């Protein structure tokens, strides 16, 4: 029997051995022989970052404790074919801060070879929004993640605030730890879409020019994934419809609805209610435009969590991102994003947003040495606004990243 922690040691050792191969090697392939269809490809991505350890980094923190600004993070991709129609995709994430875990593991079935139509099943990528494919350091022109896909609000999914006053008392604490009872501690709140954790489910994905679409059923919701056993008796329905009306232009809308609370919260809910009665309802819109050396990406979202104690909690979010690439391999990029929370009324004082509004700017310079090596330097500023009263709280960082593909 493998001792406790042995599997993590194996993965880390395998990853370290993979780094011994030259970075110019795009992947490791094991070809099939004449008697089997065995065909496996292995590739990886290593991020090395020089940055501070300050509050600005904390505002980028993920559930597992790490951030995109950690000193190093690795990803290992293993892809294989069972036959001409079925492919298997797995992705491992490795870091000292977040640990070793399976980021994704799913099978894809393409029944018609000349049609862009496939069925995915397993721990699948989120089929909504458009940032997901650009979350990797060799695709993201910056280092950080948009607030829509990372920032933790002050609403937890596993514990409900007793009333509006308890919710307001934790405004601005979502990234640090929320505890509605008196005293410190607590766990981070829910983001709108948590890009760093995929969910278990099945998705139908395809396109018929100029249209593209996805439709999925998952255990959890975009803000609270359940890649293992389902935490409640409900499933989420989500998907996206896109249009490519002109060369370089892509637009789309996404939506999701499903229960986000686990069944074990029910003893604390009002009598006669259940976790399945309260949904996360999300509507998103996206646009992308590419012309010559310029790229523009933008997304907006309206998100509502239904709750049994403080009513429906709604927030709006968006980001706008631009990149310009020069002929010599250099590029400049910038992103501005915001989360804006609807107002609620406490027992005292005027109505105010149920969480502090958040604004973030990130901009930087980069250079692509070749298809496998990219260097970036970025500046990021995150500001929390406790309106209508209170002082802005801003945190800044400067960081450098090298992205190495192998």
């Amino acid at each position: 029997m493998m001792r406790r922690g042995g599997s993590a040691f194996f993965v880390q050792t395998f990853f370290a051995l993979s780094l011994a191969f030259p970075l110019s090697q795009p992947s490791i392939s094991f070809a099939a022989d004449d008697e089997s269809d065995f065909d496996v490809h292995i590739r990886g991505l290593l991020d090395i970052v020089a940055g501070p350890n300050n509050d600005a980094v904390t505002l980028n923190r993920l559930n597992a404790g790490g951030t995109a600004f950690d000193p190093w993070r690795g990803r290992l991709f293993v892809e294989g074919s069972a036959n001409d129609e079925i492919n298997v995709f797995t992705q491992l994430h490795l870091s000292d801060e977040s640990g070793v875990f399976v980021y994704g593991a799913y099978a894809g079935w393409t029944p018609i070879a000349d049609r862009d139509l496939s069925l995915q099943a397993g721990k699948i990528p989120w089929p909504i929004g458009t940032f997901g494919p650009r979350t990797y350091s060799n695709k993201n022109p910056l280092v950080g993640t948009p607030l829509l896909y990372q920032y933790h609000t002050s609403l937890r999914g596993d514990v409900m605030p007793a009333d509006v006053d308890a919710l307001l008392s934790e405004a601005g604490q979502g990234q640090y730890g929320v505890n509605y009872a008196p005293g410190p501690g607590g766990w981070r709140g829910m983001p709108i879409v948590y890009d760093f954790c995929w969910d278990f489910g099945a998705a139908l994905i395809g396109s018929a020019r100029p249209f593209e679409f996805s439709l999925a059923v998952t255990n959890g919701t975009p803000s609270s994934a359940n890649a293992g056993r389902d935490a409640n008796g409900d499933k989420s329905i989500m998907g996206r419809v896109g249009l490519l009306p002109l060369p370089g232009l892509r637009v789309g809308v996404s939506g999701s609805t499903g229960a986000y609370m686990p069944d074990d919260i029910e003893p604390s809910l009002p009598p006669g209610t259940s976790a399945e009665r309260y949904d996360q309802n999300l509507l998103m819109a996206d646009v992308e435009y590419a012309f010559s050396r310029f790229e523009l990406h933008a997304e907006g979202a309206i998100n509502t969590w239904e709750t049994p104690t403080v009513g429906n909690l709604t927030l709006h979010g968006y980001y706008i991102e631009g990149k310009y690439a020069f002929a010599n391999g250099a590029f400049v990029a910038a992103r501005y994003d915001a989360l804006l929370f609807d107002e609620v009324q406490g027992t005292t004082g005027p109505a105010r947003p149920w969480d502090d509004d958040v604004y973030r700017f990130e901009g930087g310079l980069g250079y692509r040495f070749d298809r496998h090596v990219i260097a970036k330097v970025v500046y990021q500023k995150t500001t929390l606004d406790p309106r209508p009263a209170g002082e802005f709280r801003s945190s800044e960082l400067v960081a450098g990243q090298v992205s190495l593909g192998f």
Side-chain angles (χ1 to χ4, degrees):
M1 179 180 294
M2 183 176 290
R3 64 184 175 84
R4 188 176 181 86
S7 60
F9 174 79
F10 172 80
V11 172
Q12 289 173 320
T13 302
F14 184 66
F15 180 72
L17 291 174
S18 299
L19 291 179
F21 288 85
L23 290 174
S24 60
Q25 178 79 11
S27 66
I28 307 169
S29 299
F30 301 91
D33 57 30
D34 293 337
E35 298 179 357
S36 72
D37 293 327
F38 180 72
D39 186 12
V40 176
H41 303 274
I42 301 174
R43 55 189 176 87
L45 187 64
L46 175 65
D47 307 338
I48 300 175
V49 176
N53 182 17
N54 59 11
D55 191 57
V57 175
T58 301
L59 292 172
N60 287 268
R61 199 170 299 280
L62 306 165
N63 281 348
T67 76
F69 296 92
D70 292 344
W72 74 274
R73 297 199 304 172
R75 297 179 191 260
L76 193 63
F77 308 88
V78 183
E79 305 172 4
S81 300
N83 55 42
D84 291 340
E85 296 181 356
I86 299 178
N87 296 296
V88 177
F89 306 86
T90 61
Q91 181 182 160
L92 302 179
H93 181 279
L94 309 94
S95 80
D96 284 332
E97 298 294 334
S98 301
V100 180
F101 64 91
V102 177
Y103 195 91
Y106 63 94
W109 175 45
T110 304
I112 306 174
D114 59 351
R115 286 287 186 89
D116 181 18
L117 179 67
S118 64
L119 177 66
Q120 298 176 351
K123 192 173 185 181
I124 60 175
W126 293 112
I128 56 175
T130 56
F131 178 74
R134 295 185 293 112
T135 192
Y136 305 99
S137 61
N138 59 348
K139 302 294 184 182
N140 185 355
L142 302 168
V143 178
T145 303
L147 295 170
L148 280 175
Y149 291 89
Q150 171 266 321
Y151 186 82
H152 296 80
T153 70
S154 61
L155 180 67
R156 291 174 56 176
D158 59 335
V159 178
M160 286 290 104
D163 51 36
V164 172
D165 290 344
L167 176 66
L168 293 177
S169 71
E170 294 297 292
Q173 297 302 308
Q175 280 293 127
Y176 305 94
V178 174
N179 185 3
Y180 302 120
W187 188 244
R188 282 178 283 274
M190 294 185 293
I192 296 178
V193 181
Y194 190 53
D195 174 71
F196 199 63
C197 186
W198 294 354
D199 204 354
F200 179 83
L204 185 66
I205 299 174
S207 66
R209 297 291 179 169
F211 299 99
E212 55 187 7
F213 66 90
S214 62
L215 179 64
V217 179
T218 62
N219 278 353
T221 68
S223 64
S224 183
N226 288 298
R229 291 187 177 90
D230 201 350
N232 57 46
D234 192 38
K235 301 293 183 183
S236 286
I237 306 296
M238 62 185 70
R240 178 181 177 274
V241 177
L243 176 66
L244 292 82
L246 299 170
L249 179 61
R250 181 188 185 202
V251 296
V253 293
S254 304
S256 173
T257 183
Y260 64 93
M261 290 189 290
D263 282 340
D264 58 17
I265 199 177
E266 291 184 353
S268 66
L269 300 182
T273 62
S274 65
E276 288 81 5
R277 287 184 54 182
Y278 302 96
D279 292 339
Q280 178 192 8
N281 298 308
L282 172 63
L283 180 63
M284 305 176 70
D286 59 80
V287 59
E288 298 180 359
Y289 182 65
F291 176 75
S292 185
R293 299 184 182 276
F294 175 74
E295 293 181 27
L296 173 69
H297 301 268
E299 292 189 73
I302 302 174
N303 182 80
T304 298
W305 285 292
E306 301 171 353
T307 79
T309 57
V310 292
N312 293 346
L313 298 176
T314 298
L315 72 156
H316 302 70
Y318 66 88
Y319 74 84
I320 302 173
E321 174 186 304
K323 173 188 173 183
Y324 185 83
F326 298 93
N328 64 354
F331 61 88
V332 295
R335 180 191 302 131
Y336 182 80
D337 44 339
L339 296 180
L340 308 172
F341 297 81
D342 281 9
E343 293 185 346
V344 294
Q345 179 62 60
T347 57
T348 61
R352 60 145 296 170
W354 61 268
D355 199 358
D356 291 352
D357 292 342
V358 191
Y359 306 90
R360 176 176 289 168
F361 170 81
E362 185 173 344
L365 308 173
Y367 186 82
R368 182 180 293 272
F369 293 89
D370 57 40
R371 59 178 298 194
H372 302 301
V373 182
I374 305 171
K376 312 169 194 173
V377 177
V378 300
Y379 164 80
Q380 186 192 91
K381 180 178 181 179
T382 307
T383 301
L384 277 68
D385 175 14
R387 62 180 177 95
E391 297 182 357
F392 288 91
R393 189 171 85 241
S394 296
S395 300
E396 302 169 85
L397 63 82
V398 176
Q401 181 191 69
V402 177
S403 171
L404 304 169
F406 59 94

